[in-house]
Amino acid sequence: MSNTWRQLAGRAVRQAAGFLRRSGGGPSTPGKAGDAGVRRGRSGAAAATVRPPGAPPGRHLEYAPDLDGRADPGEIVWTWVPFEEDASRGKDRPVLVIGRAGRSVLGLMLSSQDRHRDDRGWLALGPGAWDGEHRPSWVRLDRVIDVPERGIRREGAVLDRDRFNQVAARLRSQHGWQ
C-alpha cells in the first residue's frame, strides 16, 4: 500500500474512533481508540472493519453452517483482521461467523494465545480444525469484525452447535444480541 493510501486510511480510522468516542459508541472497555476503521487487504480489496459488540438492529444469532462456498453463521473462516492498537496494520486470522449483513459477514476473531484464559471479553472454545496444531482457542466477544465476502481467504472449519450456542449466550447476555 502506498504511503498516501496508508495516511488516508489512518486518518479515516482516527476520525471514526473520534466520532465513536464523542457519540458514546465504540468498544466497551475504555482506552481502546482506533478500534474502528477501514482497511485495504493485501489484494487492495476492502477488508474487515470493526464495530462495537452490540447487535446491529434486527440481527439474530442463528446457527446455520452450510459448506456451499459462502460463509455462514457457525463457520470459521480466515481473513485479514486489523490490529486493535493500529488499524492500519493487521494479520490473517480465524474468525467465527455469527451473522450476515448483505455481502458482508459479521464475525468474532479467534486466538490461540493462552493469555486470554482469564479475560472477561474472551470465551474458551477449546481446540478445533481451524488451527493446524489443534491448540486451544479463545473467541473475542467484545469486538465484532465486519468482513466483505471478497475479503475471506478460505473456510477453515465448522464450530459445533454446542460451542456456537455458548458464544451466542454470552453475546446475548453481555451485548444485547437476540
Side-chain angles (χ1 to χ4, degrees), residues 27-50:
S28 59
T29 49
K32 304 268 180 154
D35 202 10
V38 176
R39 165 76 169 146
R40 298 281 174 192
R42 292 180 187 164
S43 67
T49 57
V50 180

Side-chain angles (χ1 to χ4, degrees), residues 82-103:
F83 290 140
E84 184 173 12
E85 62 278 358
D86 181 359
S88 67
R89 298 178 49 224
K91 72 177 192 175
D92 275 338
R93 64 181 326 129
V95 171
L96 170 62
V97 177
I98 56 171
R100 295 191 65 79
R103 293 184 181 223

Side-chain angles (χ1 to χ4, degrees), residues 125-155:
L125 288 181
W130 56 86
D131 183 274
E133 298 174 32
H134 295 283
R135 297 171 292 186
S137 294
W138 288 262
V139 62
R140 184 167 183 181
L141 301 171
D142 62 355
R143 188 173 189 234
V144 177
I145 312 295
D146 190 333
V147 183
E149 279 191 286
R150 67 184 181 276
I152 294 171
R153 188 165 53 93
R154 67 179 168 92
E155 292 182 63

